[in-house]
Amino acid sequence: MNNKKLNTFTLSGLIIGPILGSGIILLPPLVYNMIGSFSLIIWGIILVLGFIFALIFGKLATLFPGEGGVSLATKEVMGKKYQLLTSFYLICAVFFGPVAVLIIAAKFIQNLFPNTNLEVLALLVYLVTYLLLLSKVNFIGKLMLIVSSVITVVFLLSSIIILLNVNQYSFTLPQISFNEFGYSLLVVFWSIVGWEVIGNYSKEVDDTKTLTKSIVFSAIVISIVYIFLALAITLGDFPRDQEFKLVWLIEPIFGSFSNIVLATISLILCIGTLILFVGAVARLIASLKLTSYTSMHSSNNSPIGALNVLSSLYLITLFLVYLDFITLDELVAYSDAFFIANALIGLITAILLFEKGFLKSASFILAILFFTILIFSNIIILSIIISLFIFTYLKK
């Protein structure tokens, strides 16, 4: 075994923390505040979809390993131009998404340092992330294994304590509109974003079995954490006359230190998310061999050229946020839409590639469901997605 490679546990560490990432600190309270107890239904749907989604993209990654990830399978099945299309969708998503994660992390830190500029804090968070991205991927995997294990235990333990101390369980399912249902699914989709980029690390693992085991194990752990968190928020004895705050969840364990602990957890999870996505897309850009600079790697095999290009884009986007030209909500919405578009091409690839069986049928069903969720996206972003598709389709 090559000690520089990722094994089942270090790859799981690289997966669990980042995919929980900003989603675990944002989505459960956000969705509950939007639709109340109905959020349990939404979580049930999205976690089942996410588990199947993980299996499909894990299978694609094992069939076509390499820095290009699932785009390599798309190239084989649909041709070079569709590989570029799915790559550009993913790059567009990661143009917006990481900046949203930076702002989320900065907001939690700003609670402890209220007089510090939000964008300056976001920049400092990215500088830390950039230095970690230049480290050996095996070191990052071990680091994230430790921190994701601790954070997973904290959220699980706090949720279980809250559920065990409920005086009387009460559950009422509210009525919501079709638009609320669809928009909730679109928002919660952020929680399963990440599985489509795991394949970009396939060259860093010992063998394909390692990748498969890591994906299954990680999907189970992530689902359990989200389920217990959603149950605790919905059934726990919390004030129901005001918006739910995530800090309430860990107060039974950490008391007056809860705000500091939550800020620390948020920072670590957000950096983990950034490591996963930025690292994966930098590898994707390097694999496309667009220029000699973007294909350049460091001595640690980090795609430093592509990473520097992405970093420049993030600085520009952060400056646009500073100028109030773009908001956090818009960053998340734009990113989600491009992630779904990228996922759709991956699912179509799976439909064409897989033989008859569960994964082929599941790919077809997920493609329909993801397309339905995509319809609830911003009309401008939808227009860009459609325009890119038409341009690719007509290109010879």
Side-chain angles (χ1 to χ4, degrees), residues 11-73:
L11 181 58
S12 296
L14 192 61
I15 296 172
I16 294 172
I19 291 186
L20 284 178
S22 57
I24 197 68
I25 57 179
L26 268 185
L27 297 177
L30 176 64
V31 177
Y32 178 79
N33 290 331
M34 285 170 51
I35 56 175
S37 310
F38 204 91
S39 60
L40 288 180
I41 305 296
I42 295 294
W43 281 115
I45 294 172
I46 208 70
L47 290 177
V48 170
L49 296 182
F51 196 91
I52 299 172
F53 185 50
L55 294 178
I56 292 170
F57 276 76
K59 180 67 174 179
L60 289 174
T62 58
L63 291 175
F64 296 90
E67 283 191 328
V70 174
S71 72
L72 296 175

Side-chain angles (χ1 to χ4, degrees), residues 34-39 41 171-181 184:
M34 285 170 51
I35 56 175
S37 310
F38 204 91
S39 60
I41 305 296
F171 179 78
T172 303
L173 198 63
Q175 290 186 338
I176 65 171
S177 67
F178 179 73
N179 285 337
E180 287 176 316
F181 178 78
S184 298

